[in-house]
Amino acid sequence: AQSVAQPEDQVNVAEGNPLTVKCTYSVSGNPYLFWYVQYPNRGLQFLLKYITGDNLVKGSYGFEAEFNKSQTSFHLKKPSALVSDSALYFCAVRVTSGGSYIPTFGRGTSLIVHP
Amino acid sequence: GAGVSQSPSNKVTEKGKDVELRCDPISGHTALYWYRQSLGQGLEFLIYFQGNSAPDKSGLPSDRFSAERTGGSVSTLTIQRTQQEDSAVYLCASSLDSGREQETQYFGPGTRLLVL
């Protein structure tokens, strides 16, 4: 079985400050990890993914995420938050082989960036 | 190019009525997924289609829910005898080939269903 935990329902950060949205996972085997963002009344948009190789993955809109195998984490980060980053963020995981083709999503974290 | 489209964008219905939700995936994408998003509940997998293979229906919550995909493209999710707990946003996603687990999913804007 595979699972994803996003321990924070909401993250508040001031504009210009760094932000972190946490994600931990549990899989049998090696993971593929994804981050998606959902703006109000919109579908999910792909931000970035970890497949293999460099543990630091860079994605859209200045976001990056670091894969940490020992801590089974894939936290989303951005050095300087913008008010326009306020949205709902989802982490997702798939196993690399022998598992379900269906990705498992976390419950989502609401990011609020204050001016 | 065009993304995933869904219709209607909003649907209000009365308890006990049937509803049909439509998804047009990105052209050439062989994999199609339906999810349900309830407030504070994240994404709940419903059903998955891959090419001409039998769909994975393991996420459908009851036999009132069904889906089909015609010609490997457009999909329709049908909810019969709707209940108030069916109220949610129904999201459709497609990917190029889910036989490769690293494939990115592309989501439609969703259909917001309200059952009165």
Side-chain angles (χ1 to χ4, degrees):
Chain A
Q2 56 194 41
S3 65
V4 172
Q6 293 182 241
E8 302 155 317
D9 290 336
Q10 184 172 303
V11 170
N12 292 277
V13 64
E15 187 174 32
N17 283 1
L19 70 87
T20 299
V21 182
K22 296 180 180 178
C23 171
T24 59
Y25 66 89
S26 175
V27 297
S28 300
N30 294 316
Y32 291 133
L33 293 155
F34 302 79
W35 275 103
Y36 291 85
V37 60
Q38 185 179 33
Y39 297 102
N41 300 315
R42 303 283 295 276
L44 277 67
Q45 297 178 32
F46 170 74
L47 272 181
L48 51 79
K49 63 184 176 184
Y50 171 80
I51 303 301
T52 187
D54 194 348
N55 289 342
L56 184 64
V57 179
K58 294 187 181 297
S60 307
Y61 312 120
F63 283 93
E64 59 188 29
E66 185 168 11
F67 171 62
N68 188 317
K69 188 172 183 177
S70 63
Q71 297 185 5
T72 62
S73 67
F74 190 56
H75 300 331
L76 182 70
K77 299 182 179 183
K78 187 173 182 180
S80 179
L82 300 173
V83 172
S84 57
D85 292 330
S86 298
L88 191 57
Y89 290 80
F90 290 93
C91 182
V93 67
R94 274 173 160 167
V95 292
T96 57
S97 65
S100 170
Y101 291 143
I102 314 302
T104 298
F105 284 81
R107 291 167 60 103
T109 298
S110 178
L111 173 66
I112 299 174
V113 182
H114 303 276
Chain B
V4 178
S5 61
Q6 292 185 246
S7 61
S9 54
N10 291 280
K11 177 70 176 180
V12 181
T13 190
E14 294 178 347
K15 178 181 173 181
K17 300 281 190 182
D18 297 351
V19 295
E20 286 190 349
L21 312 180
R22 177 187 168 105
C23 172
D24 282 89
I26 293 173
S27 178
H29 280 194
T30 61
L32 187 147
Y33 307 76
W34 281 98
Y35 294 90
R36 179 167 68 177
Q37 184 179 19
S38 304
L39 190 62
Q41 296 300 313
L43 266 67
E44 176 188 5
F45 164 73
L46 297 176
I47 189 169
Y48 145 72
F49 297 89
Q50 168 57 37
N52 295 321
S53 302
D56 180 341
K57 305 178 182 180
S58 60
L60 295 178
S62 77
D63 59 7
R64 295 187 295 106
F65 288 72
S66 63
E68 63 178 18
R69 188 179 184 191
T70 54
S73 181
V74 172
S75 177
T76 302
L77 176 69
T78 301
I79 309 174
Q80 295 179 310
R81 304 181 303 281
T82 52
Q83 303 295 313
Q84 289 181 330
E85 59 263 29
D86 299 334
S87 298
V89 176
Y90 290 82
L91 293 169
C92 175
S94 69
S95 65
L96 189 59
D97 177 2
S98 75
R100 297 167 56 203
E101 287 86 348
Q102 70 263 41
E103 282 296 329
T104 298
Q105 293 176 297
Y106 295 85
F107 284 80
T111 293
R112 190 174 301 273
L113 176 65
L114 178 61
V115 182
L116 301 176

